[in-house]
């Protein structure tokens, strides 16, 4: 099993050198990470483009562009509106004193038309700005979308070039799994054998005695002498 794993590792190295991809796994991981990042960016850009497109269409289709909410915060528009209100008030006062063809009335009416024209021009400028934002978002979305397709093509090309590598990699993983299983079973057998041998322990070492345990001659002679003495005294006392 170990030899088979070594042979497969050597074949994998040869495939890497032949295909020109030194680290297929690392390259594949980087491409997948890049594709994930581009996909997230593309989703955000698409949402942004749709929002800007909807805003541009709304502004372009407005019946009265000068009344768009986007113009209310413009200092230029606010100044023009103030100027227009003053001119209209001045025209109303002049109309009470002069006829429509009076030079002062004609002058103020001309100023009002000029101010309104400037308001319309400012509104168109804001609408063109919204259009530019929309087109810039669309261009950025298209660029990222192109990068996503290129990354997908690169991943597919790498998969084609690494087809033999993937096959050998699966075989190598299976061979390593078999080898690890055999090593694990071998270690378990060794441990079990050691446990089986360790059931026997030396409690007291066997030592050869320097003299026999029995008969103990000194003790027996002493006991015999004492017993004989008592029996002799007892017998003499009985006979007396």
């Amino acid at each position: 099993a170990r030899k088979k794993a070594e042979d497969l590792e050597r074949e994998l190295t040869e495939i890497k050198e032949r295909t020109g991809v030194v680290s297929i796994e690392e390259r594949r991981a980087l491409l997948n990470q890049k594709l994930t990042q581009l996909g997230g960016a593309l989703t955000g850009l698409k949402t942004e483009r749709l929002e800007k497109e909807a805003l541009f269409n709304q502004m372009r289709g407005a019946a009265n562009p000068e009344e768009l909410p986007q113009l209310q915060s413009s200092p230029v528009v606010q100044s023009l509106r103030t100027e227009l209100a003053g001119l209209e008030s001045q025209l109303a006062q002049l109309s009470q004193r002069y006829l429509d063809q009076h030079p002062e009335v004609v002058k103020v009416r001309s100023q009002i038309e000029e101010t309104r024209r400037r308001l319309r021009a400012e509104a168109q400028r804001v609408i063109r700005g919204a259009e530019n934002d929309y087109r810039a978002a669309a261009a950025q979305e298209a660029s990222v979308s192109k990068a996503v397709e290129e990354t997908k093509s690169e991943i597919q090309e790498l998969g084609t070039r690494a087809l033999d590598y993937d096959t050998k990699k699966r075989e190598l993983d299976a061979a390593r799994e078999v080898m690890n299983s055999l090593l694990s079973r071998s270690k378990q057998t060794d441990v079990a054998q050691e446990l089986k041998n360790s059931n026997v322990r030396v409690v007291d070492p066997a030592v050869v005695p320097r003299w026999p345990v029995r008969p103990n001659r000194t003790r027996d002679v002493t006991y015999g002498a004492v017993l004989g003495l008592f029996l002799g005294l007892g017998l003499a006392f009985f006979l007396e």
Side-chain angles (χ1 to χ4, degrees):
R2 185 180 293 109
K3 184 178 184 304
K4 183 177 180 180
E6 292 174 353
D7 293 340
L8 289 172
E9 288 179 353
R10 184 169 56 256
E11 292 179 8
L12 280 178
T13 303
E14 294 175 356
I15 291 175
K16 290 180 181 179
E17 295 176 353
R18 185 172 65 252
T19 56
V21 181
V22 179
S23 181
I24 294 178
E25 294 294 337
E26 181 179 356
R27 180 61 177 167
R28 181 176 294 164
L30 291 175
L31 287 175
N32 289 331
Q33 182 180 1
K34 180 181 178 181
L35 182 61
T36 301
Q37 293 176 350
L38 288 175
L42 181 61
T43 301
L45 290 173
K46 184 176 181 180
T47 302
E48 182 181 357
R49 189 264 302 169
L50 290 174
E51 292 176 353
K52 292 183 177 181
E53 183 179 6
L55 177 62
F56 167 65
N57 291 331
Q58 178 185 2
M59 295 174 66
R60 182 177 58 178
N64 190 2
E66 295 83 358
E67 300 297 331
L68 287 173
Q70 290 76 17
L71 271 70
Q72 305 304 321
S73 60
S74 173
V76 176
V77 173
Q78 292 178 359
S79 176
L80 290 174
R81 287 185 183 279
T82 302
E83 181 180 350
L84 180 62
L87 290 172
E88 289 178 345
S89 176
Q90 184 179 355
L91 178 63
Q93 294 177 359
L94 291 174
S95 297
Q96 295 176 357
R97 298 171 56 188
Y98 305 112
L99 297 176
D100 292 342
Q101 300 301 323
H102 191 276
E104 290 294 332
V105 174
V106 172
K107 177 182 177 181
V108 173
R109 187 179 291 115
S110 175
Q111 291 176 348
I112 290 175
E113 290 299 327
E114 177 64 19
T115 303
R116 289 176 176 174
R117 186 192 65 79
R118 291 167 60 188
L119 271 174
R120 290 192 296 269
E122 183 66 19
Q124 292 301 320
R125 187 190 67 79
V126 174
I127 293 175
R128 285 194 300 272
E131 181 182 8
N132 292 334
D133 290 343
Y134 153 64
R135 295 189 181 281
Q140 192 173 5
E141 179 190 0
S143 176
V144 175
S145 178
K146 181 180 178 181
V148 168
E149 295 302 324
E150 291 176 351
T151 304
K152 288 181 179 179
S153 300
E154 192 172 355
I155 291 176
Q156 184 176 2
E157 181 184 359
L158 179 63
T160 303
R161 295 169 61 187
L163 184 61
D164 293 339
Y165 173 85
D166 292 336
T167 302
K168 294 297 180 182
K169 184 67 167 55
R170 287 192 295 269
E171 294 180 1
L172 176 59
D173 292 340
R176 285 176 175 173
E177 185 176 355
V178 171
M179 183 180 66
N180 292 333
S181 176
L182 291 174
L183 288 174
S184 177
R185 292 177 60 184
S186 176
K187 291 180 180 178
Q188 291 176 359
T189 303
D190 294 340
V191 171
Q193 186 66 29
E194 291 177 0
L195 292 176
K196 184 182 297 183
N197 293 335
S198 64
N199 289 334
V200 179
R201 298 191 305 274
V202 177
V203 179
D204 293 323
V207 179
V208 179
R210 290 175 294 176
W211 50 79
V213 177
R214 63 172 56 89
N216 191 338
R217 296 181 180 180
T218 303
R219 184 189 60 188
D220 293 344
V221 170
T222 302
Y223 287 169
V226 173
L227 182 60
L229 178 61
F230 277 102
L231 287 178
L233 291 176
L235 181 59
F237 178 77
F238 178 73
L239 291 177
E240 184 58 33

